[in-house]
Amino acid sequence: MEYVRYGSKLLVRLDPGEEVLASLTSVCRKGNIALGSISGIGAVNKAKVGLFNPTTKNYHSTTFEGNFEVTGLSGNVSQMNGEVYLHLHATLADGEHNAFGGHLNEAWVSATAEICIDVVNGTVGRKFNEAIGLNLLEF
């Protein structure tokens, strides 16, 4: 992994074998990034993607293995209990150009990932909301 900061933006390159969420969490910790938005593209060979069911308040996750293009990675950086909290969604495309996506739980880079973190000066926390069943932004 390598990254460089230009003003309020960080450009991150992930290399084969690196896990996306762990790598971005590390970058945010090292850079003292408490709030921001994330966007990116890349290629992965394993990803765990989830869908939240508001009725049951549970995530259903599926692990996909194979070669996939990350055609869209988006999300945000916030804080929960003083720690970096990433909320990411991804759209993945397979070899037949079928696309699927959802909440990104993990993804392993197969070739590269190119990610931009747009840092916002400030801090926003998260708090678990029992009625909804999710960790919501707390302003």
Side-chain angles (χ1 to χ4, degrees), residues 58-109:
N58 289 316
Y59 270 98
H60 168 72
S61 295
T62 303
T63 300
F64 298 93
E65 294 190 47
N67 292 313
F68 303 99
E69 288 288 330
V70 179
T71 60
L73 173 70
S74 63
N76 57 56
V77 180
S78 60
Q79 297 278 299
M80 186 161 179
N81 301 321
E83 295 292 326
V84 171
Y85 188 101
L86 300 180
H87 184 188
L88 301 177
H89 287 195
T91 303
L92 308 174
D94 64 18
E96 283 76 45
H97 307 286
N98 297 305
F100 55 92
H103 179 84
L104 189 64
N105 297 356
E106 65 181 47
W108 297 91
V109 175

mmCIF file of all heavy atoms in Angstrom, residues 58-109:
data_model
loop_
_atom_site.group_PDB
_atom_site.id
_atom_site.type_symbol
_atom_site.label_atom_id
_atom_site.label_comp_id
_atom_site.label_asym_id
_atom_site.label_seq_id
_atom_site.Cartn_x
_atom_site.Cartn_y
_atom_site.Cartn_z
ATOM 1 N N ASN A 58 -30.867 -7.805 10.689
ATOM 2 C CA ASN A 58 -29.668 -8.617 10.489
ATOM 3 C C ASN A 58 -29.104 -8.392 9.096
ATOM 4 O O ASN A 58 -29.841 -8.079 8.166
ATOM 5 C CB ASN A 58 -29.985 -10.109 10.641
ATOM 6 C CG ASN A 58 -30.281 -10.485 12.071
ATOM 7 O OD1 ASN A 58 -29.594 -10.070 12.990
ATOM 8 N ND2 ASN A 58 -31.323 -11.278 12.265
ATOM 9 N N TYR A 59 -27.792 -8.601 8.999
ATOM 10 C CA TYR A 59 -27.125 -8.594 7.702
ATOM 11 C C TYR A 59 -27.072 -10.010 7.169
ATOM 12 O O TYR A 59 -26.815 -10.957 7.909
ATOM 13 C CB TYR A 59 -25.682 -8.078 7.816
ATOM 14 C CG TYR A 59 -25.551 -6.597 7.632
ATOM 15 C CD1 TYR A 59 -25.468 -5.749 8.715
ATOM 16 C CD2 TYR A 59 -25.504 -6.044 6.357
ATOM 17 C CE1 TYR A 59 -25.340 -4.380 8.549
ATOM 18 C CE2 TYR A 59 -25.376 -4.683 6.175
ATOM 19 C CZ TYR A 59 -25.294 -3.866 7.272
ATOM 20 O OH TYR A 59 -25.171 -2.512 7.096
ATOM 21 N N HIS A 60 -27.309 -10.145 5.883
ATOM 22 C CA HIS A 60 -27.073 -11.404 5.186
ATOM 23 C C HIS A 60 -25.892 -11.140 4.274
ATOM 24 O O HIS A 60 -25.951 -10.279 3.406
ATOM 25 C CB HIS A 60 -28.298 -11.821 4.366
ATOM 26 C CG HIS A 60 -28.011 -12.942 3.425
ATOM 27 N ND1 HIS A 60 -27.798 -14.227 3.852
ATOM 28 C CD2 HIS A 60 -27.867 -12.965 2.092
ATOM 29 C CE1 HIS A 60 -27.539 -14.996 2.808
ATOM 30 N NE2 HIS A 60 -27.573 -14.243 1.725
ATOM 31 N N SER A 61 -24.802 -11.859 4.521
ATOM 32 C CA SER A 61 -23.588 -11.643 3.741
ATOM 33 C C SER A 61 -23.273 -12.847 2.877
ATOM 34 O O SER A 61 -23.527 -13.986 3.259
ATOM 35 C CB SER A 61 -22.402 -11.361 4.666
ATOM 36 O OG SER A 61 -22.606 -10.159 5.356
ATOM 37 N N THR A 62 -22.714 -12.565 1.717
ATOM 38 C CA THR A 62 -22.283 -13.602 0.786
ATOM 39 C C THR A 62 -20.832 -13.337 0.427
ATOM 40 O O THR A 62 -20.451 -12.196 0.165
ATOM 41 C CB THR A 62 -23.146 -13.572 -0.496
ATOM 42 O OG1 THR A 62 -24.514 -13.725 -0.123
ATOM 43 C CG2 THR A 62 -22.750 -14.677 -1.453
ATOM 44 N N THR A 63 -20.033 -14.407 0.405
ATOM 45 C CA THR A 63 -18.639 -14.299 -0.010
ATOM 46 C C THR A 63 -18.523 -14.753 -1.455
ATOM 47 O O THR A 63 -19.018 -15.817 -1.814
ATOM 48 C CB THR A 63 -17.727 -15.151 0.891
ATOM 49 O OG1 THR A 63 -17.851 -14.678 2.241
ATOM 50 C CG2 THR A 63 -16.274 -15.053 0.457
ATOM 51 N N PHE A 64 -17.889 -13.920 -2.261
ATOM 52 C CA PHE A 64 -17.674 -14.218 -3.679
ATOM 53 C C PHE A 64 -16.187 -14.412 -3.917
ATOM 54 O O PHE A 64 -15.371 -13.627 -3.418
ATOM 55 C CB PHE A 64 -18.186 -13.065 -4.555
ATOM 56 C CG PHE A 64 -19.658 -12.820 -4.433
ATOM 57 C CD1 PHE A 64 -20.148 -11.890 -3.527
ATOM 58 C CD2 PHE A 64 -20.558 -13.527 -5.210
ATOM 59 C CE1 PHE A 64 -21.503 -11.653 -3.409
ATOM 60 C CE2 PHE A 64 -21.923 -13.310 -5.103
ATOM 61 C CZ PHE A 64 -22.394 -12.373 -4.196
ATOM 62 N N GLU A 65 -15.841 -15.456 -4.656
ATOM 63 C CA GLU A 65 -14.450 -15.689 -5.014
ATOM 64 C C GLU A 65 -14.342 -15.818 -6.517
ATOM 65 O O GLU A 65 -15.201 -16.410 -7.161
ATOM 66 C CB GLU A 65 -13.922 -16.941 -4.320
ATOM 67 C CG GLU A 65 -13.861 -16.768 -2.804
ATOM 68 C CD GLU A 65 -13.122 -17.881 -2.102
ATOM 69 O OE1 GLU A 65 -12.019 -18.235 -2.571
ATOM 70 O OE2 GLU A 65 -13.652 -18.380 -1.102
ATOM 71 N N GLY A 66 -13.302 -15.236 -7.085
ATOM 72 C CA GLY A 66 -13.085 -15.197 -8.525
ATOM 73 C C GLY A 66 -12.505 -13.852 -8.882
ATOM 74 O O GLY A 66 -12.096 -13.090 -8.010
ATOM 75 N N ASN A 67 -12.477 -13.549 -10.170
ATOM 76 C CA ASN A 67 -11.951 -12.256 -10.612
ATOM 77 C C ASN A 67 -13.092 -11.268 -10.812
ATOM 78 O O ASN A 67 -14.019 -11.536 -11.575
ATOM 79 C CB ASN A 67 -11.162 -12.427 -11.916
ATOM 80 C CG ASN A 67 -9.902 -13.218 -11.675
ATOM 81 O OD1 ASN A 67 -9.173 -12.950 -10.726
ATOM 82 N ND2 ASN A 67 -9.638 -14.196 -12.523
ATOM 83 N N PHE A 68 -12.993 -10.144 -10.111
ATOM 84 C CA PHE A 68 -14.037 -9.127 -10.163
ATOM 85 C C PHE A 68 -13.415 -7.751 -10.326
ATOM 86 O O PHE A 68 -12.393 -7.441 -9.708
ATOM 87 C CB PHE A 68 -14.873 -9.123 -8.878
ATOM 88 C CG PHE A 68 -15.509 -10.438 -8.563
ATOM 89 C CD1 PHE A 68 -14.937 -11.299 -7.647
ATOM 90 C CD2 PHE A 68 -16.675 -10.828 -9.202
ATOM 91 C CE1 PHE A 68 -15.505 -12.515 -7.355
ATOM 92 C CE2 PHE A 68 -17.253 -12.051 -8.921
ATOM 93 C CZ PHE A 68 -16.672 -12.897 -7.998
ATOM 94 N N GLU A 69 -14.042 -6.934 -11.150
ATOM 95 C CA GLU A 69 -13.717 -5.516 -11.217
ATOM 96 C C GLU A 69 -14.557 -4.803 -10.158
ATOM 97 O O GLU A 69 -15.751 -5.068 -10.026
ATOM 98 C CB GLU A 69 -14.063 -4.937 -12.592
ATOM 99 C CG GLU A 69 -13.138 -5.369 -13.702
ATOM 100 C CD GLU A 69 -11.760 -4.732 -13.606
ATOM 101 O OE1 GLU A 69 -11.644 -3.595 -13.101
ATOM 102 O OE2 GLU A 69 -10.796 -5.391 -14.039
ATOM 103 N N VAL A 70 -13.932 -3.922 -9.410
ATOM 104 C CA VAL A 70 -14.668 -3.038 -8.514
ATOM 105 C C VAL A 70 -15.029 -1.833 -9.360
ATOM 106 O O VAL A 70 -14.188 -0.971 -9.630
ATOM 107 C CB VAL A 70 -13.825 -2.630 -7.291
ATOM 108 C CG1 VAL A 70 -14.621 -1.688 -6.388
ATOM 109 C CG2 VAL A 70 -13.351 -3.855 -6.524
ATOM 110 N N THR A 71 -16.271 -1.806 -9.841
ATOM 111 C CA THR A 71 -16.683 -0.718 -10.723
ATOM 112 C C THR A 71 -17.111 0.513 -9.937
ATOM 113 O O THR A 71 -17.225 1.591 -10.505
ATOM 114 C CB THR A 71 -17.822 -1.164 -11.651
ATOM 115 O OG1 THR A 71 -18.936 -1.567 -10.860
ATOM 116 C CG2 THR A 71 -17.376 -2.320 -12.530
ATOM 117 N N GLY A 72 -17.319 0.330 -8.657
ATOM 118 C CA GLY A 72 -17.637 1.466 -7.809
ATOM 119 C C GLY A 72 -17.456 1.113 -6.348
ATOM 120 O O GLY A 72 -17.957 0.103 -5.884
ATOM 121 N N LEU A 73 -16.698 1.928 -5.661
ATOM 122 C CA LEU A 73 -16.527 1.825 -4.217
ATOM 123 C C LEU A 73 -16.858 3.195 -3.660
ATOM 124 O O LEU A 73 -16.295 4.204 -4.110
ATOM 125 C CB LEU A 73 -15.083 1.452 -3.874
ATOM 126 C CG LEU A 73 -14.710 1.463 -2.388
ATOM 127 C CD1 LEU A 73 -15.395 0.310 -1.655
ATOM 128 C CD2 LEU A 73 -13.200 1.369 -2.211
ATOM 129 N N SER A 74 -17.785 3.251 -2.728
ATOM 130 C CA SER A 74 -18.135 4.539 -2.137
ATOM 131 C C SER A 74 -18.507 4.346 -0.681
ATOM 132 O O SER A 74 -18.915 3.269 -0.261
ATOM 133 C CB SER A 74 -19.290 5.204 -2.902
ATOM 134 O OG SER A 74 -20.446 4.408 -2.818
ATOM 135 N N GLY A 75 -18.337 5.412 0.072
ATOM 136 C CA GLY A 75 -18.687 5.336 1.485
ATOM 137 C C GLY A 75 -18.130 6.508 2.250
ATOM 138 O O GLY A 75 -17.791 7.541 1.677
ATOM 139 N N ASN A 76 -18.027 6.298 3.569
ATOM 140 C CA ASN A 76 -17.568 7.391 4.410
ATOM 141 C C ASN A 76 -16.726 6.900 5.568
ATOM 142 O O ASN A 76 -16.705 5.718 5.898
ATOM 143 C CB ASN A 76 -18.757 8.235 4.895
ATOM 144 C CG ASN A 76 -19.783 7.428 5.647
ATOM 145 O OD1 ASN A 76 -19.468 6.763 6.629
ATOM 146 N ND2 ASN A 76 -21.021 7.476 5.186
ATOM 147 N N VAL A 77 -16.034 7.851 6.154
ATOM 148 C CA VAL A 77 -15.237 7.649 7.363
ATOM 149 C C VAL A 77 -15.909 8.450 8.461
ATOM 150 O O VAL A 77 -16.241 9.624 8.272
ATOM 151 C CB VAL A 77 -13.794 8.187 7.192
ATOM 152 C CG1 VAL A 77 -12.977 7.956 8.457
ATOM 153 C CG2 VAL A 77 -13.125 7.600 5.974
ATOM 154 N N SER A 78 -16.118 7.813 9.599
ATOM 155 C CA SER A 78 -16.604 8.509 10.784
ATOM 156 C C SER A 78 -15.913 7.869 11.983
ATOM 157 O O SER A 78 -14.906 7.185 11.823
ATOM 158 C CB SER A 78 -18.135 8.440 10.882
ATOM 159 O OG SER A 78 -18.569 7.085 10.964
ATOM 160 N N GLN A 79 -16.442 8.100 13.163
ATOM 161 C CA GLN A 79 -15.865 7.565 14.394
ATOM 162 C C GLN A 79 -16.940 6.848 15.196
ATOM 163 O O GLN A 79 -18.100 7.258 15.182
ATOM 164 C CB GLN A 79 -15.300 8.704 15.256
ATOM 165 C CG GLN A 79 -14.173 9.478 14.621
ATOM 166 C CD GLN A 79 -12.867 8.757 14.809
ATOM 167 O OE1 GLN A 79 -12.422 8.530 15.922
ATOM 168 N NE2 GLN A 79 -12.240 8.388 13.706
ATOM 169 N N MET A 80 -16.540 5.783 15.869
ATOM 170 C CA MET A 80 -17.424 5.144 16.844
ATOM 171 C C MET A 80 -16.568 4.718 18.016
ATOM 172 O O MET A 80 -15.565 4.022 17.841
ATOM 173 C CB MET A 80 -18.168 3.948 16.249
ATOM 174 C CG MET A 80 -19.203 3.373 17.200
ATOM 175 S SD MET A 80 -20.407 2.382 16.316
ATOM 176 C CE MET A 80 -21.420 1.867 17.684
ATOM 177 N N ASN A 81 -16.944 5.185 19.193
ATOM 178 C CA ASN A 81 -16.182 4.910 20.418
ATOM 179 C C ASN A 81 -14.715 5.304 20.265
ATOM 180 O O ASN A 81 -13.815 4.597 20.721
ATOM 181 C CB ASN A 81 -16.313 3.434 20.814
ATOM 182 C CG ASN A 81 -17.750 3.037 21.054
ATOM 183 O OD1 ASN A 81 -18.525 3.797 21.619
ATOM 184 N ND2 ASN A 81 -18.112 1.850 20.608
ATOM 185 N N GLY A 82 -14.469 6.421 19.580
ATOM 186 C CA GLY A 82 -13.120 6.931 19.423
ATOM 187 C C GLY A 82 -12.267 6.214 18.401
ATOM 188 O O GLY A 82 -11.081 6.499 18.268
ATOM 189 N N GLU A 83 -12.853 5.290 17.657
ATOM 190 C CA GLU A 83 -12.117 4.516 16.650
ATOM 191 C C GLU A 83 -12.624 4.840 15.249
ATOM 192 O O GLU A 83 -13.781 5.228 15.071
ATOM 193 C CB GLU A 83 -12.281 3.013 16.907
ATOM 194 C CG GLU A 83 -11.667 2.527 18.198
ATOM 195 C CD GLU A 83 -10.154 2.602 18.195
ATOM 196 O OE1 GLU A 83 -9.534 2.399 17.132
ATOM 197 O OE2 GLU A 83 -9.578 2.881 19.268
ATOM 198 N N VAL A 84 -11.777 4.615 14.251
ATOM 199 C CA VAL A 84 -12.162 4.794 12.849
ATOM 200 C C VAL A 84 -13.300 3.836 12.524
ATOM 201 O O VAL A 84 -13.253 2.652 12.881
ATOM 202 C CB VAL A 84 -10.966 4.516 11.909
ATOM 203 C CG1 VAL A 84 -11.403 4.488 10.454
ATOM 204 C CG2 VAL A 84 -9.874 5.544 12.131
ATOM 205 N N TYR A 85 -14.325 4.354 11.861
ATOM 206 C CA TYR A 85 -15.474 3.551 11.463
ATOM 207 C C TYR A 85 -15.695 3.789 9.972
ATOM 208 O O TYR A 85 -15.984 4.910 9.560
ATOM 209 C CB TYR A 85 -16.714 3.966 12.260
ATOM 210 C CG TYR A 85 -17.919 3.077 12.053
ATOM 211 C CD1 TYR A 85 -18.254 2.123 13.001
ATOM 212 C CD2 TYR A 85 -18.722 3.202 10.927
ATOM 213 C CE1 TYR A 85 -19.371 1.311 12.836
ATOM 214 C CE2 TYR A 85 -19.833 2.391 10.749
ATOM 215 C CZ TYR A 85 -20.157 1.453 11.703
ATOM 216 O OH TYR A 85 -21.263 0.653 11.527
ATOM 217 N N LEU A 86 -15.517 2.752 9.164
ATOM 218 C CA LEU A 86 -15.745 2.851 7.726
ATOM 219 C C LEU A 86 -17.098 2.258 7.376
ATOM 220 O O LEU A 86 -17.452 1.172 7.856
ATOM 221 C CB LEU A 86 -14.663 2.083 6.954
ATOM 222 C CG LEU A 86 -13.226 2.534 7.153
ATOM 223 C CD1 LEU A 86 -12.298 1.669 6.305
ATOM 224 C CD2 LEU A 86 -13.057 3.998 6.804
ATOM 225 N N HIS A 87 -17.838 2.950 6.550
ATOM 226 C CA HIS A 87 -19.101 2.438 6.008
ATOM 227 C C HIS A 87 -18.969 2.485 4.497
ATOM 228 O O HIS A 87 -18.995 3.568 3.894
ATOM 229 C CB HIS A 87 -20.268 3.278 6.486
ATOM 230 C CG HIS A 87 -21.596 2.746 6.048
ATOM 231 N ND1 HIS A 87 -22.753 3.447 6.231
ATOM 232 C CD2 HIS A 87 -21.959 1.579 5.448
ATOM 233 C CE1 HIS A 87 -23.773 2.749 5.747
ATOM 234 N NE2 HIS A 87 -23.303 1.612 5.262
ATOM 235 N N LEU A 88 -18.764 1.299 3.888
ATOM 236 C CA LEU A 88 -18.479 1.221 2.459
ATOM 237 C C LEU A 88 -19.481 0.341 1.733
ATOM 238 O O LEU A 88 -19.919 -0.681 2.261
ATOM 239 C CB LEU A 88 -17.075 0.639 2.223
ATOM 240 C CG LEU A 88 -15.907 1.398 2.829
ATOM 241 C CD1 LEU A 88 -14.613 0.647 2.567
ATOM 242 C CD2 LEU A 88 -15.840 2.809 2.289
ATOM 243 N N HIS A 89 -19.798 0.743 0.521
ATOM 244 C CA HIS A 89 -20.587 -0.075 -0.396
ATOM 245 C C HIS A 89 -19.762 -0.271 -1.659
ATOM 246 O O HIS A 89 -18.949 0.584 -2.012
ATOM 247 C CB HIS A 89 -21.908 0.601 -0.745
ATOM 248 C CG HIS A 89 -22.899 0.575 0.376
ATOM 249 N ND1 HIS A 89 -24.229 0.846 0.187
ATOM 250 C CD2 HIS A 89 -22.763 0.310 1.698
ATOM 251 C CE1 HIS A 89 -24.876 0.750 1.334
ATOM 252 N NE2 HIS A 89 -23.992 0.431 2.279
ATOM 253 N N ALA A 90 -19.986 -1.398 -2.330
ATOM 254 C CA ALA A 90 -19.234 -1.676 -3.553
ATOM 255 C C ALA A 90 -20.131 -2.332 -4.585
ATOM 256 O O ALA A 90 -21.053 -3.070 -4.248
ATOM 257 C CB ALA A 90 -18.047 -2.588 -3.259
ATOM 258 N N THR A 91 -19.834 -2.041 -5.833
ATOM 259 C CA THR A 91 -20.429 -2.751 -6.959
ATOM 260 C C THR A 91 -19.295 -3.510 -7.630
ATOM 261 O O THR A 91 -18.251 -2.928 -7.954
ATOM 262 C CB THR A 91 -21.079 -1.776 -7.960
ATOM 263 O OG1 THR A 91 -22.052 -0.995 -7.264
ATOM 264 C CG2 THR A 91 -21.754 -2.534 -9.092
ATOM 265 N N LEU A 92 -19.508 -4.811 -7.812
ATOM 266 C CA LEU A 92 -18.513 -5.696 -8.413
ATOM 267 C C LEU A 92 -19.069 -6.255 -9.712
ATOM 268 O O LEU A 92 -20.263 -6.525 -9.813
ATOM 269 C CB LEU A 92 -18.190 -6.853 -7.467
ATOM 270 C CG LEU A 92 -17.811 -6.478 -6.036
ATOM 271 C CD1 LEU A 92 -17.659 -7.725 -5.183
ATOM 272 C CD2 LEU A 92 -16.545 -5.653 -6.019
ATOM 273 N N ALA A 93 -18.199 -6.438 -10.706
ATOM 274 C CA ALA A 93 -18.606 -7.014 -11.990
ATOM 275 C C ALA A 93 -17.776 -8.263 -12.253
ATOM 276 O O ALA A 93 -16.556 -8.272 -12.058
ATOM 277 C CB ALA A 93 -18.411 -6.008 -13.118
ATOM 278 N N ASP A 94 -18.447 -9.330 -12.707
ATOM 279 C CA ASP A 94 -17.745 -10.580 -12.999
ATOM 280 C C ASP A 94 -17.353 -10.646 -14.474
ATOM 281 O O ASP A 94 -17.541 -9.686 -15.227
ATOM 282 C CB ASP A 94 -18.591 -11.793 -12.579
ATOM 283 C CG ASP A 94 -19.890 -11.945 -13.358
ATOM 284 O OD1 ASP A 94 -20.043 -11.345 -14.446
ATOM 285 O OD2 ASP A 94 -20.766 -12.694 -12.874
ATOM 286 N N GLY A 95 -16.813 -11.783 -14.884
ATOM 287 C CA GLY A 95 -16.322 -11.958 -16.249
ATOM 288 C C GLY A 95 -17.375 -11.900 -17.319
ATOM 289 O O GLY A 95 -17.079 -11.696 -18.497
ATOM 290 N N GLU A 96 -18.648 -12.092 -16.937
ATOM 291 C CA GLU A 96 -19.752 -11.986 -17.899
ATOM 292 C C GLU A 96 -20.408 -10.610 -17.839
ATOM 293 O O GLU A 96 -21.482 -10.413 -18.383
ATOM 294 C CB GLU A 96 -20.801 -13.079 -17.634
ATOM 295 C CG GLU A 96 -20.399 -14.470 -18.129
ATOM 296 C CD GLU A 96 -19.363 -15.131 -17.208
ATOM 297 O OE1 GLU A 96 -19.542 -15.077 -15.967
ATOM 298 O OE2 GLU A 96 -18.362 -15.652 -17.720
ATOM 299 N N HIS A 97 -19.782 -9.690 -17.128
ATOM 300 C CA HIS A 97 -20.268 -8.319 -16.978
ATOM 301 C C HIS A 97 -21.543 -8.218 -16.159
ATOM 302 O O HIS A 97 -22.292 -7.243 -16.280
ATOM 303 C CB HIS A 97 -20.432 -7.622 -18.341
ATOM 304 C CG HIS A 97 -19.195 -7.685 -19.160
ATOM 305 N ND1 HIS A 97 -18.089 -6.913 -18.888
ATOM 306 C CD2 HIS A 97 -18.864 -8.461 -20.213
ATOM 307 C CE1 HIS A 97 -17.137 -7.205 -19.749
ATOM 308 N NE2 HIS A 97 -17.566 -8.147 -20.563
ATOM 309 N N ASN A 98 -21.785 -9.221 -15.313
ATOM 310 C CA ASN A 98 -22.885 -9.139 -14.347
ATOM 311 C C ASN A 98 -22.403 -8.316 -13.163
ATOM 312 O O ASN A 98 -21.293 -8.526 -12.669
ATOM 313 C CB ASN A 98 -23.290 -10.535 -13.863
ATOM 314 C CG ASN A 98 -23.811 -11.393 -14.981
ATOM 315 O OD1 ASN A 98 -24.735 -11.005 -15.682
ATOM 316 N ND2 ASN A 98 -23.204 -12.556 -15.161
ATOM 317 N N ALA A 99 -23.228 -7.400 -12.726
ATOM 318 C CA ALA A 99 -22.853 -6.551 -11.597
ATOM 319 C C ALA A 99 -23.718 -6.878 -10.394
ATOM 320 O O ALA A 99 -24.906 -7.196 -10.524
ATOM 321 C CB ALA A 99 -23.008 -5.085 -11.974
ATOM 322 N N PHE A 100 -23.108 -6.829 -9.226
ATOM 323 C CA PHE A 100 -23.818 -7.024 -7.969
ATOM 324 C C PHE A 100 -23.087 -6.224 -6.912
ATOM 325 O O PHE A 100 -21.935 -5.825 -7.102
ATOM 326 C CB PHE A 100 -23.901 -8.502 -7.600
ATOM 327 C CG PHE A 100 -22.562 -9.180 -7.551
ATOM 328 C CD1 PHE A 100 -21.856 -9.262 -6.373
ATOM 329 C CD2 PHE A 100 -21.995 -9.717 -8.696
ATOM 330 C CE1 PHE A 100 -20.612 -9.863 -6.331
ATOM 331 C CE2 PHE A 100 -20.758 -10.321 -8.660
ATOM 332 C CZ PHE A 100 -20.061 -10.391 -7.471
ATOM 333 N N GLY A 101 -23.738 -5.975 -5.814
ATOM 334 C CA GLY A 101 -23.070 -5.185 -4.794
ATOM 335 C C GLY A 101 -23.847 -5.124 -3.515
ATOM 336 O O GLY A 101 -24.845 -5.811 -3.331
ATOM 337 N N GLY A 102 -23.380 -4.278 -2.626
ATOM 338 C CA GLY A 102 -23.996 -4.091 -1.328
ATOM 339 C C GLY A 102 -22.984 -3.542 -0.346
ATOM 340 O O GLY A 102 -21.948 -2.983 -0.734
ATOM 341 N N HIS A 103 -23.274 -3.735 0.921
ATOM 342 C CA HIS A 103 -22.395 -3.304 1.994
ATOM 343 C C HIS A 103 -21.117 -4.139 1.951
ATOM 344 O O HIS A 103 -21.173 -5.365 1.941
ATOM 345 C CB HIS A 103 -23.101 -3.485 3.341
ATOM 346 C CG HIS A 103 -22.262 -3.091 4.509
ATOM 347 N ND1 HIS A 103 -22.176 -1.794 4.938
ATOM 348 C CD2 HIS A 103 -21.470 -3.827 5.320
ATOM 349 C CE1 HIS A 103 -21.355 -1.749 5.983
ATOM 350 N NE2 HIS A 103 -20.913 -2.974 6.228
ATOM 351 N N LEU A 104 -19.970 -3.480 1.903
ATOM 352 C CA LEU A 104 -18.702 -4.193 1.786
ATOM 353 C C LEU A 104 -18.162 -4.545 3.166
ATOM 354 O O LEU A 104 -17.850 -3.673 3.971
ATOM 355 C CB LEU A 104 -17.679 -3.346 1.024
ATOM 356 C CG LEU A 104 -16.389 -4.063 0.647
ATOM 357 C CD1 LEU A 104 -16.663 -5.213 -0.326
ATOM 358 C CD2 LEU A 104 -15.397 -3.087 0.034
ATOM 359 N N ASN A 105 -18.080 -5.859 3.432
ATOM 360 C CA ASN A 105 -17.543 -6.360 4.701
ATOM 361 C C ASN A 105 -16.040 -6.603 4.601
ATOM 362 O O ASN A 105 -15.317 -6.406 5.571
ATOM 363 C CB ASN A 105 -18.226 -7.653 5.111
ATOM 364 C CG ASN A 105 -19.703 -7.485 5.379
ATOM 365 O OD1 ASN A 105 -20.223 -6.382 5.338
ATOM 366 N ND2 ASN A 105 -20.386 -8.560 5.641
ATOM 367 N N GLU A 106 -15.600 -7.105 3.457
ATOM 368 C CA GLU A 106 -14.176 -7.306 3.209
ATOM 369 C C GLU A 106 -13.961 -7.510 1.724
ATOM 370 O O GLU A 106 -14.874 -7.927 1.016
ATOM 371 C CB GLU A 106 -13.606 -8.497 3.987
ATOM 372 C CG GLU A 106 -14.170 -9.836 3.586
ATOM 373 C CD GLU A 106 -13.595 -10.998 4.388
ATOM 374 O OE1 GLU A 106 -13.535 -10.900 5.622
ATOM 375 O OE2 GLU A 106 -13.199 -11.998 3.747
ATOM 376 N N ALA A 107 -12.751 -7.211 1.265
ATOM 377 C CA ALA A 107 -12.394 -7.413 -0.141
ATOM 378 C C ALA A 107 -10.883 -7.520 -0.235
ATOM 379 O O ALA A 107 -10.159 -6.721 0.370
ATOM 380 C CB ALA A 107 -12.907 -6.270 -1.008
ATOM 381 N N TRP A 108 -10.421 -8.495 -1.001
ATOM 382 C CA TRP A 108 -8.996 -8.756 -1.147
ATOM 383 C C TRP A 108 -8.553 -8.373 -2.551
ATOM 384 O O TRP A 108 -9.083 -8.884 -3.537
ATOM 385 C CB TRP A 108 -8.705 -10.231 -0.855
ATOM 386 C CG TRP A 108 -9.046 -10.551 0.571
ATOM 387 C CD1 TRP A 108 -10.244 -11.000 1.059
ATOM 388 C CD2 TRP A 108 -8.204 -10.382 1.702
ATOM 389 N NE1 TRP A 108 -10.190 -11.129 2.417
ATOM 390 C CE2 TRP A 108 -8.950 -10.767 2.845
ATOM 391 C CE3 TRP A 108 -6.890 -9.957 1.861
ATOM 392 C CZ2 TRP A 108 -8.409 -10.722 4.127
ATOM 393 C CZ3 TRP A 108 -6.355 -9.921 3.146
ATOM 394 C CH2 TRP A 108 -7.113 -10.307 4.251
ATOM 395 N N VAL A 109 -7.580 -7.480 -2.636
ATOM 396 C CA VAL A 109 -7.105 -6.948 -3.910
ATOM 397 C C VAL A 109 -6.370 -8.034 -4.691
ATOM 398 O O VAL A 109 -5.525 -8.747 -4.149
ATOM 399 C CB VAL A 109 -6.176 -5.736 -3.672
ATOM 400 C CG1 VAL A 109 -5.581 -5.238 -4.985
ATOM 401 C CG2 VAL A 109 -6.934 -4.621 -2.957
#
